[in-house]
Amino acid sequence: MISDAPVLQQPSDTAETAAAPSRVARYARPMLGVLLPLTLALGWELVVWSGWSNGRLVPPPSRVFATITELARSGELVRHITATLWRVGLGFAFGVVAGTLLGAISGYWSLARRLLDPTVQALRAIPSLAWVPLFILWLGIFETSKIALIAVGVFFPVYLGVMGAILSVDRKIVEVGRTFRLSGVAMIRRILLPAVLPAYVVSLRVGLGLGCTRAGAAAGGALARRAVLGARCLHPQGSSGSSARPLGRHAADLDPRHA
């Protein structure tokens, strides 16, 4: 006798069918962020190609890519990128270490917060350009002053993010830790660190952006102009012309000296 019971679908087929849309969605989400810049770039390329603009002040993407290719072949682009990343990396590291230590101390101990926070808040109100003559007098006009400018831009958001995250930790969780008689190190490792980590990552992202664009990018141009992307984009020479300037605008987050 033949059974009329429906044939069950294999689990592997069901898993593959469900995984296919998820893969498409995973790759489609990042492309949505690129859609608007690509549309604007193609639109401007068509505007210049049709003759509505000569592309002198804002070159089309094709001319920019040609300039990038020329700089890459000559080795100049690699030299500028290497110098820029080296300065940004050192400044970011110093700013993160100082901001994390002082932010943790100010957030954990109320006495330290009363002593340190008013001074830090007053220094935070100083414009970025005002630090330039001080760093030139104190540290000279070479690499140390440039790295210090970036470190100052990174320090303040990291300090505020760490201190604010520690202060916003639920006090009930802290009381539970004290009830279990956790030591100071155990309290930090088991309670404070997991609670502070999300806000700390956000402060690192903000610090990297502000360190490059405000303290470094806005003020670093007043210092020496050698071997960085900003110097190459602000002072184009040779056959590059104005095509190097859009490259600098899009790479400003990497350039600690783009004014």
Side-chain angles (χ1 to χ4, degrees):
M1 183 175 182
I2 300 175
S3 177
D4 295 334
V7 179
L8 296 177
Q9 189 178 10
Q10 295 296 329
S12 60
D13 297 339
T14 305
E16 292 177 358
T17 305
S22 63
R23 291 197 194 99
V24 175
R26 182 176 59 184
Y27 292 111
R29 291 192 190 100
M31 294 303 296
L32 290 177
V34 186
L35 184 61
L36 180 59
L38 285 179
T39 304
L40 294 177
L42 291 176
W44 184 247
E45 183 74 30
L46 292 176
V47 169
V48 176
W49 179 77
S50 61
W52 294 346
S53 176
N54 57 9
R56 181 174 175 271
L57 296 179
V58 182
S62 59
R63 198 180 306 169
V64 175
F65 290 146
T67 303
I68 295 175
T69 304
E70 179 184 349
L71 294 175
R73 288 176 179 174
S74 64
E76 189 177 358
L77 183 62
V78 176
R79 181 169 61 90
H80 290 304
I81 291 178
T82 303
T84 300
L85 291 179
W86 172 255
R87 293 169 187 172
V88 171
L90 285 179
F92 180 73
F94 288 134
V96 166
V97 171
T100 302
L101 291 178
L102 291 181
I105 292 173
S106 299
Y108 194 76
W109 288 289
S110 58
L111 178 60
R113 183 169 62 253
R114 296 189 187 98
L115 291 174
L116 296 176
D117 192 59
T119 303
V120 174
Q121 296 294 342
L123 293 176
R124 188 172 67 93
I126 299 176
S128 300
L129 288 174
W131 291 102
V132 176
L134 294 177
F135 285 143
I136 291 177
L137 292 174
W138 295 342
L139 306 175
I141 201 171
F142 298 105
E143 298 298 321
T144 308
S145 57
K146 304 181 188 75
I147 294 172
L149 283 173
I150 302 170
V152 168
V154 175
F155 168 78
F156 293 111
V158 173
Y159 167 83
L160 293 176
V162 173
M163 184 183 68
I166 293 176
L167 292 176
S168 63
V169 175
D170 192 355
R171 295 303 167 188
K172 295 180 181 179
I173 302 177
V174 178
E175 291 298 330
V176 170
R178 291 175 178 173
T179 302
F180 283 96
R181 298 180 180 179
L182 295 178
S183 62
V185 177
M187 182 80 71
I188 294 174
R189 182 171 58 87
R190 294 188 177 184
I191 294 179
L192 294 181
L193 187 59
V196 169
L197 192 59
Y200 181 63
V201 174
V202 174
S203 68
L204 291 180
R205 294 180 60 184
V206 176
L208 180 60
L210 292 180
C212 294
T213 57
R214 292 188 182 181
L223 301 174
R225 299 182 178 272
R226 303 178 306 163
V228 287
L229 289 175
R232 187 64 187 87
C233 299
L234 288 175
H235 300 278
Q237 297 175 357
S239 60
S240 302
S242 60
S243 302
R245 292 177 184 174
L247 171 63
R249 295 190 185 101
H250 293 295
D253 287 343
L254 296 177
D255 185 5
R257 302 185 40 191
H258 181 58

